[in-house]
Amino acid sequence: MHHTSLEQIQITANSRIEGRLNAYFVFAALVLVLVAPSRLAYVCALACFVALGIDATGHDYLQVVRLPVYFLLPSLVLIALFTSGPTAVSMGPLSISWTGIDRSITTGLRSFGSMTILGYLVVTTTVPQLFVALRSLRCPQFVIEISLLTYRVIQILLDELRRLELAARGRLGFRTRRTTFRTAKLLGFSVFLKSMSRAETLNDAMLARNYTGEMPMAQTTSRGHGYAAAVLTLIAIAGWAV
């Protein structure tokens, strides 16, 4: 298994939707998922963006998307455990209510749908392309700068986690359940320190290149309007018409 950085994945991605349209497409889909009243919209978004992500980058998309799952699943369990309502399952001092199960399913589907959308954005959109899209939407300069730096740091975090996970797997850190828990704990601690170090290195590199808050503009051509319209229409129909 070789290690592929996010920059390499983005450069080699063969997305059916390109240019500024890709960022607009992701923003619109994310808004639809967040406001849609039906779970079917979340499932539709999840299926569409997983398909688009795999089509664009193959197995690399799944590698990126599965990392946030480690943080999301425990939260869904806590929602099910601590939401009051009629009891569905009782295990000693712990009980799970039907309300908790329902809320956990809704939250999980919406979160997974949003996560697949953002994962698609991460693997198919470079920082300069995202910058052009935000500039064309006439966002304030400080909002763009903070958003792009945050986006870049997230990329560093995911890249560092992938690198550390590969190293741990090579040392049989996930051989048994006990070693898996121990490795996951160490990875969570190490990735924070490593990411902070790399973020500081990124800042030093930007300053060394006379960065003043003005980022270069990339010239891109948008394509794939039909695919974008079809996916957004499916999510809207699933959310409101069904």
Side-chain angles (χ1 to χ4, degrees), residues 57-111:
T57 64
H59 184 66
D60 289 324
Y61 172 75
L62 298 178
Q63 290 292 322
V64 171
V65 169
R66 74 182 178 86
L67 295 177
V69 173
Y70 297 149
F71 300 95
L72 180 59
L73 290 179
S75 302
L76 298 178
V77 173
L78 291 177
I79 291 174
L81 285 174
F82 293 102
T83 301
S84 59
T87 302
V89 179
S90 181
M91 299 171 290
L94 300 177
S95 62
I96 301 176
S97 66
W98 289 111
T99 306
I101 294 174
D102 182 75
R103 185 170 299 175
S104 182
I105 292 174
T106 300
T107 303
L109 289 176
R110 179 181 286 157
S111 300

Side-chain angles (χ1 to χ4, degrees), residues 125-148:
T125 308
T126 62
V127 171
Q129 290 172 342
L130 183 60
F131 175 67
V132 171
L134 292 175
R135 282 290 296 271
S136 64
L137 293 175
R138 301 188 182 280
C139 292
Q141 182 63 31
F142 77 93
V143 174
I144 295 176
E145 183 177 357
I146 292 175
S147 300
L148 290 183

